[in-house]
């Protein structure tokens, strides 16, 4: 089975959803090439507003409906999935950083509220933490979705792998000052979980923070299949899902776990 993945590594206009929508539309019209292989497109974290969290009451999308409809229309137009690309959302309980998975029929099939809030960007002051993972069927492929800071928590991503995830999608706004961490953590998560990792990072600058770009597609052996530059760009890679089952049969990490010892050591 094959899956084509695309990353739209974009700058984000702070607090300007209209401009950010136009940028996604422009990049899709310029960079997308049709394919017979099912395709999933990933855009950066908080693509609709950026980190304008102090304006959440003004800018947040109610339950993500507006942004899901926008991506849904694009998904139908191009016949693709949109996975990740989190948005600032308002719920009855408060505001969240929410990733969305939308199928080629334009339907929202899954969503994920960021579990690990990043204090250095004041997420803990403005957002509610998510309480559940996000796993879904993508054209017969077991897929999952997380957001940015989540990749520092190996135990969280291991739960995805233990539930059979073959392709993990990551949306991020990761700064250039820690780009080495970004690259290392993504490869580590792919290797230890023997799965594809498809990570789209923001580029550009807001205030004093420069974002790294460097979006990556990494294979289940840790091989780098695509690596972005620091500027806006689109990249597409076709994944062979048989590689996941092959490496899992060859190096039997999941069979060789000793969870009863791990549980004892954490008490």
């Amino acid at each position: 089975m094959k899956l084509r993945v695309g990353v739209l590594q974009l700058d984000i206009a702070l607090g300007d959803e209209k401009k950010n929508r136009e940028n996604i539309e422009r990049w899709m019209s310029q960079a997308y090439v049709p394919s017979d292989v099912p395709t999933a497109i990933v855009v950066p974290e908080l693509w609709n507003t950026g980190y304008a969290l102090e304006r959440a009451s003004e800018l947040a999308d109610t339950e993500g409906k507006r942004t899901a409809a926008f991506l849904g229309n694009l998904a139908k137009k191009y016949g693709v999935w949109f996975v990740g690309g989190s948005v600032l959302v308002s719920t009855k309980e408060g505001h969240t950083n929410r990733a969305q998975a939308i199928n080629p029929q334009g339907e929202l099939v899954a969503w994920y509220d960021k579990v690990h809030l990043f204090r250095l960007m004041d997420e803990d002051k403005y957002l509610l933490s998510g309480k559940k993972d996000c796993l879904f069927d993508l054209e017969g492929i077991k897929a999952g979705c997380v957001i940015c800071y989540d990749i520092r928590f190996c135990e969280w991503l291991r739960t995805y792998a233990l539930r059979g995830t073959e392709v993990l999608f990551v949306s991020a706004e990761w700064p250039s000052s820690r780009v080495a961490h970004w690259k290392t953590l993504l490869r580590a998560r792919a290797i230890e979980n023997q799965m594809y990792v498809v990570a789209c990072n923001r580029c550009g600058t807001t205030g004093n923070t420069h974002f790294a770009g460097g979006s990556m597609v990494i294979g289940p052996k840790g091989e780098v299949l695509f690596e972005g530059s620091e500027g806006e760009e689109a990249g597409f890679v076709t994944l062979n899902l048989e590689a996941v089952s092959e490496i899992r049969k060859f190096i039997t990490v999941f069979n060789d776990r000793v969870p009863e010892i791990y549980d004892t050591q954490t008490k």
Side-chain angles (χ1 to χ4, degrees):
M1 183 176 294
K2 296 186 183 298
L3 173 69
R4 189 173 69 150
V5 295
V7 294
L8 296 187
Q9 180 174 288
L10 306 175
D11 194 358
I12 297 173
L14 191 67
D16 192 337
E17 184 174 318
K18 180 175 182 293
K19 186 173 181 179
N20 293 321
R21 285 188 182 202
E22 291 172 350
N23 201 25
I24 291 177
E25 290 175 323
R26 178 172 63 87
W27 272 96
M28 285 297 295
S29 67
Q30 292 178 353
Y32 182 73
V33 177
S35 173
D36 292 333
V37 179
T39 301
I41 307 291
V42 192
V43 293
E45 178 184 16
L46 291 177
W47 68 260
N48 63 331
T49 62
Y51 269 89
L53 301 183
E54 71 283 353
R55 298 171 59 194
S57 297
E58 168 196 352
L59 298 173
D61 179 11
T62 302
E63 296 294 345
K65 293 179 180 179
R66 184 174 67 246
T67 42
F70 167 73
L71 291 179
N73 287 333
L74 278 183
K76 288 188 289 186
K77 178 178 179 179
Y78 291 100
V80 301
W81 286 75
F82 278 94
V83 183
S86 75
V87 293
L88 184 60
V89 164
S90 64
T91 71
K92 292 180 181 179
E93 292 76 27
H95 299 105
T96 66
N97 183 345
R98 177 171 293 181
Q100 301 170 321
I102 295 165
N103 68 19
Q105 291 73 49
E107 301 164 332
L108 176 68
V109 299
W111 53 266
Y112 171 77
D113 287 342
K114 190 175 185 178
V115 167
H116 301 96
L117 300 181
F118 192 50
R119 297 177 188 275
L120 291 180
M121 296 292 283
D122 289 336
E123 284 189 318
D124 58 311
K125 296 180 181 178
Y126 296 100
L127 303 177
L128 299 176
S129 172
K131 303 301 179 186
K132 65 182 182 68
D133 57 21
C134 177
L135 294 98
F136 57 97
D137 181 279
L138 196 165
E139 308 290 344
I141 297 163
K142 295 179 180 178
C145 186
V146 296
I147 302 172
C148 201
Y149 189 42
D150 286 323
I151 69 171
R152 287 188 180 270
F153 298 87
C154 58
E155 62 271 40
W156 180 229
L157 272 62
R158 175 50 61 90
T159 67
Y160 279 73
L162 291 173
R163 294 181 62 187
T165 300
E166 300 167 285
V167 182
L168 182 75
F169 295 94
V170 183
S171 294
E173 286 203 41
W174 199 283
S176 297
S177 58
R178 292 183 291 279
V179 68
H181 293 187
W182 164 255
K183 295 178 181 180
T184 301
L185 289 165
L186 290 173
R187 290 194 70 197
R189 300 297 86 90
I191 292 168
E192 69 195 6
N193 293 306
Q194 298 173 322
M195 61 188 177
Y196 284 102
V197 173
V198 182
C200 182
N201 192 30
R202 180 201 164 171
C203 60
T205 301
T206 294
N208 295 323
T209 304
H210 179 69
F211 295 92
S215 299
M216 301 183 77
V217 179
I218 303 168
K221 297 179 183 179
E223 64 275 33
V224 177
L225 305 175
F226 170 81
E227 184 171 354
S229 65
E230 289 191 12
E232 288 195 320
E233 65 179 305
F236 292 85
V237 178
T238 298
L239 312 182
N240 177 10
L241 273 298
E242 291 179 2
V244 175
S245 59
E246 288 172 358
I247 188 62
R248 288 179 176 178
K249 290 177 182 177
F250 180 61
I251 303 178
T252 56
V253 169
F254 302 112
N255 291 337
D256 298 336
R257 295 174 66 250
V258 192
E260 63 272 19
I261 293 179
Y262 313 152
D263 292 344
T264 299
Q265 291 177 343
T266 58
K267 291 179 180 177

